[in-house]
């Protein structure tokens, strides 16, 4: 969706083979995004094996864990701001529902916070001014349509105020589209 004008984290897909060869592609990418970054399997969800290494040593440990089971890892820039989840329903005229703010107790949203009763919390509506809530809904609806979604989806994003954003303007950064949520 980055090619269609939506904000997405900068990312790098690392294969196990490239990692074993220890070429300098990861180091080059990390000079553009810095630490901390996000590392996760490219084909999993629900925060499985997601880490936020703060240095090269922690990155190596995270990659070792991923490559025990997986052939690819995704390294992304770490986005800050308010983490939101937004349901979208419909086909030709989809409707974005009221954004919910994901309340995270630790550094990253954990698998337990997502699924164990009483472990996680969402605040609905998100604690944003009405015009920011509408901005998020409109942007997420556009993401849904640009991705060709139909029926329903839950879209996870970060909202950044103008002060938080590198652009100096408020923005919504796509994390993932869950086409069959939960």
């Amino acid at each position: 969706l980055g090619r269609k004008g939506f904000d997405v984290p900068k990312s790098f897909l690392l294969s196990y083979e490239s990692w074993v060869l220890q070429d300098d592609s990861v180091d080059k990418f990390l000079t553009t995004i810095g630490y901390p970054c996000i590392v996760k399997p490219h084909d999993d969800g629900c925060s499985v094996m997601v880490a936020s290494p703060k240095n090269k040593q922690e990155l190596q440990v995270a990659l070792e864990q991923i490559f025990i089971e997986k052939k690819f890892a995704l390294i992304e820039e770490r986005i800050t701001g308010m983490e939101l989840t937004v349901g979208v329903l419909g086909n030709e005229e989809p409707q974005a529902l009221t954004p919910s703010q994901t309340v995270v107790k630790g550094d990253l949203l954990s698998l337990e916070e997502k699924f164990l009763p009483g472990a996680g919390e969402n605040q609905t509506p998100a604690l944003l001014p009405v015009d920011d809530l509408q901005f998020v809904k409109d942007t997420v609806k556009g993401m849904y349509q640009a991705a060709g979604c139909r029926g329903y989806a839950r879209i996870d994003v970060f909202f950044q105020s103008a002060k938080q954003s590198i652009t100096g303007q408020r923005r919504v950064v796509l994390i993932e589209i869950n086409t069959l949520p939960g």
Side-chain angles (χ1 to χ4, degrees), residues 23-172:
D23 66 17
D24 64 350
S25 59
V26 172
D27 291 331
K28 285 181 180 178
F29 175 69
L30 284 165
T31 61
T32 66
I33 66 165
Y35 289 99
C37 62
I38 296 293
V39 180
K40 58 188 177 183
H42 87 291
D43 63 350
D44 231 323
C46 298
S47 301
V48 173
M49 290 191 272
V50 175
S52 183
K54 295 169 186 60
N55 55 51
K56 189 171 185 169
Q57 183 178 11
E58 290 181 12
L59 175 63
Q60 285 299 108
V61 170
L63 290 171
E64 286 171 11
Q65 290 299 309
I66 290 171
F67 287 133
I68 289 171
E69 298 178 27
K70 305 291 182 173
K71 294 183 184 204
F72 293 93
L74 188 62
I75 303 171
E76 294 179 331
E77 75 176 304
R78 176 135 185 200
I79 303 296
T80 59
M82 182 182 287
E83 190 170 353
L84 303 171
T85 188
V86 184
V88 185
L89 304 170
N91 295 324
E92 286 75 31
E93 292 297 324
Q95 176 185 2
L97 305 177
T98 303
S100 295
Q101 179 179 349
T102 304
V103 179
V104 179
K105 294 178 180 148
D107 189 36
L108 295 172
L109 184 64
S110 69
L111 181 64
E112 293 77 19
E113 286 176 304
K114 286 185 176 184
F115 295 109
L116 288 180
E121 179 183 341
N122 282 331
Q123 168 74 43
T124 308
L127 301 176
L128 289 170
V130 172
D131 63 319
D132 286 340
L133 287 171
Q134 190 60 51
F135 175 72
V136 170
K137 288 172 65 173
D138 292 344
T139 304
V140 168
K141 175 182 170 184
M143 291 171 173
Y144 180 91
Q145 292 173 306
C149 295
R150 299 184 61 76
Y152 62 93
R154 190 192 77 240
I155 300 179
D156 299 333
V157 299
F158 276 93
F159 171 78
Q160 294 180 326
S161 67
K163 286 183 178 181
Q164 295 169 314
S165 173
I166 60 171
T167 66
Q169 297 181 21
R170 68 184 176 174
R171 68 184 192 143
V172 177

